[in-house]
Amino acid sequence: MARESESGKPIEPVYGPEALKDWDPAVQLGEPGAYPYTRGVYPTMYTGRPWTMRQYAGFGTAVESNARYKQLIANGTTGLSVAFDLPTQMGHDSDAPLAHGEVGKVGVAIDSVDDMRVLFDGIPLDRVSTSMTINAPAALLLLLYQLVAEEQGVSPDKLAGTIQNDVLKEYIARGTYIFPPKPSLRLVADIFQYCRAEIPKWNTISISGYHMAEAGATPAQEIAFTLANGIAYVRTAISAGMDVDDFAPRLSFFFVARTTFLEEVAKFRAARRIWARVMKEEFGAKNPKSMMLRFHTQTAGVQLTAQQPEVNLVRVAVQGLAAVLGGTQSLHTNSYDEAIALPTEKAARLALRTQQVLAYETDVTATVDPFAGSYVVESMTDDVEAAAVELMRQIEDRGGAVEAIEQGFQKSEIERSAYRVAQQTDSGERVVVGVNRFQLDEEEPYEPLRVDPAIEAQQAERLQKLRAGRDQAAVDAALAELRAAAEGSTENVLYPMRKALKARATVGEVCNLLREVWGAYVPSETF
């Protein structure tokens, strides 16, 4: 009996040339580094150097996270990836009532430039690439990073990295939104303009399908909804007066890598092909870099199990290999104990070592796009592409990504897929090793890493000292400038925002001011 892919397409027992019905290799594939980039965005891919090896880390205080970053760098990490706690992601200071119980739990607490300074103490920001997983308050964290770099004597044009800055997927799948869609998109466009002028090497957005996939999206849904969001961001920037080739080369994407290895490889190849065509044909991009879908990959956190957690090492290795064979530009491999708690130092090191084995002990870096011409992978690439394009058409029929989000389209489609997977897992049709088959009678004991609850009080004390020691008149004046810019419609808000943060305004103070001006998003319950 034929199996189905995660996107609902049949997987045949045997593939041959007949599977590629209208396949013209010269049109569909091309060469590596050439339009439509099916075979990769660079001609040599990993034959010159491997992908950037990132490890997503951050917990507790800036002091603790700084120590973990230094350990990762010492172990060979080539790029840092910062996890922020929920209060920071939601634009609340650590001493805000809504922050109670969450400070430092799922990431590092960053309340001001003082915390950011400690976070990167002793780490030369002109020699490291930093990715920050932050969305609604992305502008603030980027500006704090720039301020700390300038204190180190590093000019902004030397900074390299990425902010996630993908607010649309928050309304679909993740929920760490602050402002309504319209001002949120304005903030995204302001970031595009600011970085082009001030931080030219920075990737201004990482348009994310990862969180939608973790919520239950199929591979086809993941790339369709992600690319539809990307189209919305491009339209926003063009409406703000920017030329597509002025900002599109700095767009980047963020996808998941699941254990369904073959379809994941096909998914990445299909996504590149769709994006190249959209940028060239719909937006008239002339710069080849505007048509390249460059992306970061993280292995699938939702597929990690608390049962027999060491089995996650195997899952992560398979998922990481799928990302590499799919042509990722950077990769984070999850630690095997993340289904239980924050990763221990040993687990984080093993996750990094997994990437290093793939890069230096296998031969997957010896050639570009090893699966090119594979009957099964080329057929699956076509299938995923067709399914994704159809979903993108349905979004366009609803008026575009924002309108479809407001109608609940993407969310309902993801929930339907998630329910199907849950039913298959509960029935045993979908095997999860250690969960519904091959269980142990008794799990081995495991001592997780725990965050000290005293961190919340420590952060509150730091904030009290900050407020007592700063020039409050300068803070008030800078915040007043920011308010005036936010109330208008033409001024880029990042310039007065940087002034306020430099005067030691807090993340919460800046976000609360913008809440007053722009409002806070309340999701519709009508769908």
Side-chain angles (χ1 to χ4, degrees):
M1 185 177 71
R3 288 175 56 182
E4 281 193 349
S5 72
E6 293 293 287
S7 296
K9 300 295 182 181
I11 303 176
E12 303 298 336
V14 178
Y15 284 82
E18 70 281 355
L20 310 175
K21 295 181 175 61
D22 300 314
W23 186 54
D24 180 349
V27 174
Q28 294 287 73
L29 286 184
E31 296 297 322
Y35 184 89
Y37 306 105
T38 309
R39 303 191 60 194
V41 292
Y42 302 122
T44 58
M45 288 303 289
Y46 312 132
T47 61
R49 65 179 180 87
W51 58 93
T52 300
M53 299 181 194
R54 296 192 184 278
Q55 286 306 108
Y56 185 48
F59 62 94
T61 65
V63 171
E64 292 171 292
S65 294
N66 175 264
R68 175 63 64 87
Y69 295 156
K70 288 176 177 174
Q71 291 164 358
L72 288 170
I73 291 170
N75 285 320
T77 293
T78 54
L80 298 177
S81 189
V82 183
F84 296 96
D85 71 356
L86 278 175
T88 304
Q89 293 180 51
M90 298 296 292
H92 296 296
D93 288 334
S94 295
D95 59 356
L98 285 172
H100 179 62
E102 293 294 341
V103 176
K105 286 290 179 66
V106 299
V108 61
I110 299 294
D111 292 316
S112 71
V113 69
D114 293 9
D115 290 332
M116 190 67 94
R117 186 182 301 118
V118 173
L119 185 65
F120 290 102
D121 180 55
I123 298 173
L125 298 186
D126 57 342
R127 298 204 297 272
V128 68
S129 170
T130 302
S131 173
M132 292 188 279
T133 303
I134 194 73
N135 293 285
L140 285 76
L141 278 299
L142 173 62
L143 293 170
L144 291 175
Y145 189 84
Q146 180 188 357
L147 290 170
V148 170
E150 289 171 350
E151 290 177 4
Q152 290 186 3
V154 177
S155 64
D157 63 349
K158 297 291 193 297
L159 296 178
T162 305
I163 44 173
Q164 193 162 101
N165 192 28
D166 178 8
V167 290
L168 292 180
K169 67 96 172 47
E170 298 296 326
Y171 305 116
I172 297 172
R174 193 160 175 268
T176 61
Y177 42 71
I178 299 177
F179 317 113
K182 188 174 180 180
S184 294
L185 288 173
R186 174 195 170 176
L187 195 51
V188 169
D190 281 358
I191 290 169
F192 288 178
Q193 291 175 324
Y194 179 87
C195 286
R196 181 170 181 263
E198 306 289 340
I199 317 178
K201 293 182 181 178
W202 199 265
N203 295 318
T204 52
I205 193 168
S206 180
I207 307 164
S208 175
Y210 179 88
H211 303 94
M212 291 186 275
E214 292 284 278
T218 68
Q221 290 172 342
E222 178 192 358
I223 62 171
F225 299 159
T226 303
L227 299 186
N229 287 349
I231 290 169
Y233 293 127
V234 172
R235 288 173 178 163
T236 297
I238 290 172
S239 296
M242 299 183 73
D243 182 86
V244 65
D245 288 322
D246 286 343
F247 65 88
R250 303 315 305 174
L251 301 179
S252 64
F253 292 80
F254 175 25
F255 296 116
V256 77
R258 303 169 180 81
T259 51
T260 43
F261 182 91
L262 294 175
E263 189 178 14
E264 291 301 284
V265 173
K267 176 191 76 178
F268 298 130
R269 300 169 88 249
R272 278 194 294 270
R273 199 152 73 197
I274 297 169
W275 187 248
R277 187 171 61 246
V278 166
M279 295 304 290
K280 181 178 182 179
E281 296 178 4
E282 179 172 344
F283 295 112
K286 301 293 191 296
N287 185 345
K289 291 183 178 179
S290 298
M291 306 174 207
M292 294 179 183
L293 185 143
R294 298 171 303 112
F295 65 97
H296 169 71
T297 308
Q298 181 173 338
T299 55
V302 75
Q303 292 187 322
L304 300 178
T305 64
Q307 298 91 335
Q308 301 180 49
E310 65 277 4
V311 177
N312 293 327
L313 287 166
V314 181
R315 294 186 176 103
V316 169
V318 171
Q319 293 163 0
L321 184 58
V324 169
L325 291 174
T328 193
Q329 276 58 71
S330 68
L331 176 62
H332 163 76
T333 35
N334 290 325
S335 300
Y336 73 90
D337 54 358
E338 286 187 45
I340 302 171
L342 289 168
T344 59
E345 181 184 344
K346 179 181 180 180
R349 184 171 62 248
L350 283 170
L352 175 60
R353 294 289 184 255
T354 301
Q355 294 200 50
Q356 291 165 336
V357 168
L358 292 176
Y360 300 111
E361 291 192 21
T362 76
D363 56 2
V364 297
T365 60
T367 186
V368 177
D369 192 22
F371 278 146
S374 158
Y375 296 139
V376 60
V377 169
E378 298 298 356
S379 180
M380 293 181 91
T381 300
D382 289 348
D383 284 346
V384 174
E385 178 183 15
V389 168
E390 171 58 22
L391 285 165
M392 292 170 73
R393 183 196 63 75
Q394 292 179 41
I395 290 171
E396 286 296 299
D397 288 348
R398 287 166 170 79
V402 175
E403 291 78 5
I405 287 168
E406 291 173 343
Q407 296 167 34
F409 173 69
Q410 297 96 319
K411 188 171 184 289
S412 64
E413 289 292 303
I414 291 170
E415 287 172 349
R416 191 176 297 114
S417 298
Y419 182 63
R420 176 175 60 86
V421 170
Q423 284 184 310
Q424 291 172 346
T425 303
D426 290 345
S427 69
E429 178 185 352
R430 178 182 294 258
V431 175
V432 181
V433 174
V435 176
N436 60 10
R437 284 184 69 181
F438 314 114
Q439 301 101 320
L440 293 176
D441 293 333
E442 185 177 339
E443 292 287 335
E444 298 176 7
Y446 178 82
E447 184 60 37
L449 176 66
R450 301 188 188 279
V451 174
D452 187 348
I455 285 171
E456 187 171 329
Q458 294 169 13
Q459 282 297 109
E461 184 179 349
R462 282 175 60 81
L463 281 164
Q464 186 178 13
K465 290 180 179 177
L466 177 145
R467 294 182 184 119
R470 67 189 181 184
D471 182 344
Q472 190 60 43
V475 173
D476 292 342
L479 289 174
E481 287 185 36
L482 175 58
R483 180 182 293 276
E487 289 174 341
S489 59
T490 58
E491 186 178 349
N492 190 312
V493 298
L494 268 73
Y495 289 96
M497 189 182 290
R498 182 177 68 186
K499 187 174 180 180
L501 293 169
K502 188 172 184 178
R504 300 173 78 198
T506 68
V507 168
E509 289 167 341
V510 171
C511 287
N512 286 339
L513 181 151
L514 294 176
R515 282 185 182 94
E516 292 175 12
V517 177
W518 291 341
Y521 178 70
V522 178
S524 170
E525 298 297 338
T526 59
F527 48 81

